[in-house]
Amino acid sequence: MQVAHFLFGIFGNASALFLFLAPVITFKRIIKNRSTEKFSGIPYVMTLLNCLLSAWYGLPFVSPHNILVSTVNGTGALIEIIYVLIFITLAPRKEKAKILGLFTFVLSVFSAVVFVSLFALHANARKLFCGFAAAIFSIIMYGSPLSIMRLVIKTKSVEFMPFFLSLFVFLCGTSWFIFGLLGRDPFVAVPNGVGSALGTMQLILYFIYRENKGVAKKQGPTEEESMEMGDTKPQQGKQSNVNGTQA
């Protein structure tokens, strides 16, 4: 059982690392175009908070036998900070203010959790407090792409829901779900079980609409749908609203 627990932890580290690196393609596009387009920075900010809290939870003095949780999430936090800073730099003013506010909120929440767990709680109480905090924001992180799933259904296009991001959400959620089950740790198993289910839903949507990547509806999109897809025509005299979302 311990060997299987360790192996799923290693697989979870690998799949999580690929998940953290999957948006590199998206950010190459953002940097090249000097615009965040219809992509949303919310998933990256929420992933950062999840990584910080999970890395803290996995430390030996908080939760024994979960060091693999700590190592990969510490790495993930560094990667997500880079994404968030790039997004803040290149986003339009309104989106920049929103993401900067969320970034401040993330740092405040993490600082509060660290302070309370270090100075007010001990032993099992510390584990329960940090575990609940990590689990809650893990579920929020996995749920952040729900709006892009709605956009996929509405536009029947997967342009803003990259396949590999959806795939690694599924693989990461599933591997850590099993890791949590084997380690009898509900704070790892429950949120990642939710992530596995949502990753499955994203993959199903991708395979349903995969032929329509970057293609609008045949009947011709409305102005609102064109703006959501990021292809409003220049003669319309309006910039497309870049508040769309990405998984």
Side-chain angles (χ1 to χ4, degrees), residues 6-22:
F6 177 77
L7 290 177
F8 273 102
I10 295 297
F11 185 72
N13 269 253
S15 59
L17 185 58
F18 279 114
L19 175 62
F20 297 143
L21 293 176

Side-chain angles (χ1 to χ4, degrees), residues 142-160:
Y142 279 124
S144 60
L146 286 174
S147 55
I148 191 60
M149 292 168 67
R150 173 182 172 274
L151 182 62
V152 168
I153 295 172
K154 184 176 181 179
T155 62
K156 302 187 186 303
S157 169
V158 295
E159 180 180 4
F160 293 100

Side-chain angles (χ1 to χ4, degrees), residues 4-240:
H5 184 250
F6 177 77
L7 290 177
F8 273 102
I10 295 297
F11 185 72
N13 269 253
S15 59
L17 185 58
F18 279 114
L19 175 62
F20 297 143
L21 293 176
V24 166
I25 297 175
T26 296
F27 277 88
K28 282 184 177 179
R29 170 174 168 173
I30 288 174
I31 293 172
K32 180 179 179 181
N33 295 334
R34 305 294 298 175
S35 170
T36 55
E37 302 181 46
K38 299 298 294 181
F39 297 106
S40 172
I42 295 176
Y44 307 108
V45 181
M46 299 316 299
T47 300
L48 171 60
L49 180 54
N50 171 65
C51 287
L52 290 172
L53 292 174
S54 296
W56 183 256
Y57 173 74
L59 293 175
F61 62 87
V62 176
S63 173
H65 313 301
N66 275 328
I67 191 63
L68 290 175
V69 174
S70 195
T71 54
V72 71
N73 281 287
T75 302
L78 294 176
I79 295 172
E80 297 301 326
I81 286 175
I82 294 173
Y83 292 155
V84 171
L85 292 178
I86 292 174
F87 202 94
I88 291 174
T89 301
L90 299 178
R93 182 175 300 177
K94 184 177 180 180
E95 186 75 4
K96 189 193 300 284
K98 181 173 72 173
I99 299 304
L100 187 58
L102 282 174
F103 184 53
T104 303
F105 168 75
V106 162
L107 296 181
S108 300
V109 169
F110 178 64
S111 299
V113 169
V114 169
F115 182 83
V116 171
S117 62
L118 280 179
F119 299 106
L121 301 172
H122 304 281
N124 194 54
R126 175 185 291 166
K127 179 180 179 179
L128 289 174
F129 174 73
C130 294
F132 271 115
I136 289 170
F137 286 101
S138 289
I139 292 174
I140 293 175
M141 178 201 73
Y142 279 124
S144 60
L146 286 174
S147 55
I148 191 60
M149 292 168 67
R150 173 182 172 274
L151 182 62
V152 168
I153 295 172
K154 184 176 181 179
T155 62
K156 302 187 186 303
S157 169
V158 295
E159 180 180 4
F160 293 100
M161 190 177 74
F163 170 73
F164 284 109
L165 193 58
S166 301
L167 175 62
F168 287 119
V169 165
F170 168 74
L171 292 177
C172 182
T174 301
S175 57
W176 285 113
F177 171 64
I178 297 174
F179 178 88
L181 288 180
L182 293 175
R184 298 180 180 180
D185 190 333
F187 297 124
V188 176
V190 173
N192 285 289
V194 173
S196 178
L198 289 175
T200 301
M201 292 170 61
Q202 289 181 49
L203 290 175
I204 291 173
L205 283 177
Y206 191 93
F207 283 106
I208 291 175
Y209 299 116
R210 67 185 184 280
E211 300 298 331
N212 299 332
K213 185 174 183 180
V215 180
K217 294 179 181 179
K218 291 182 180 180
Q219 295 180 347
T222 64
E223 180 178 339
E224 178 185 359
E225 289 169 338
S226 294
M227 292 175 70
E228 284 188 322
M229 289 300 295
D231 55 2
T232 304
K233 296 180 180 179
Q235 58 264 33
Q236 290 175 315
K238 298 178 181 179
Q239 282 187 323
S240 94

